[in-house]
Amino acid sequence: WPAAPRPVRSLDLPPERALAGDPEAEWQLVDRVARPLEDAGGSLLETVDTFLEVGGVLEACARKLFVHPNTVRYRLRRATELTGRNANDPRDALVLRVALSVGRLARARGLW
């Protein structure tokens, strides 16, 4: 995270810590990001995942999900309210992407 304030608190680096194999960071990402999105309904999780997959292009996300772009906007706003992470912000997009990946891995391992 090149633009990070110095010094950086470890709590501000959950994706980097998770990628380095820190199980506590993985659990925090699942607990604070992946689980709230899933608990809110599959459409929020799917929308965030698709939005990130298409590079943050709203219209492409809407086409892929077969919904109106305003629906994508609403769901992304709701996801931000639940997680505190905005998919349009590059740093938050990284946190979301890693959290969703870690969440899928945790579920596959039967940890969630």
Side-chain angles (χ1 to χ4, degrees), residues 54-102:
V54 298
V57 179
L58 186 85
E59 291 78 14
C61 179
R63 278 193 305 273
K64 194 161 186 167
L65 294 173
F66 300 104
V67 298
H68 193 275
N70 285 342
T71 301
V72 174
R73 284 185 189 95
Y74 169 77
R75 290 178 183 173
L76 291 175
R77 191 168 41 252
R78 181 78 179 115
T80 299
E81 291 169 1
L82 287 172
T83 65
R85 302 292 180 167
N86 181 347
N88 287 303
D89 177 83
R91 175 69 188 169
D92 285 351
L94 171 68
V95 173
L96 288 163
R97 172 56 65 206
V98 173
L100 296 179
S101 297
V102 167

Side-chain angles (χ1 to χ4, degrees), residues 8 19 34-35 37 40 50 52 58 63 68 79 82 101 110:
V8 179
L19 291 172
R35 183 173 283 143
L37 289 175
T50 302
L52 296 171
L58 186 85
R63 278 193 305 273
H68 193 275
L82 287 172
S101 297

Side-chain angles (χ1 to χ4, degrees), residues 16 23 28 33-34 39 44 48 63 81 91 98:
E16 291 83 359
Q28 288 173 0
V33 178
D39 289 348
L44 280 186
V48 171
R63 278 193 305 273
E81 291 169 1
R91 175 69 188 169
V98 173

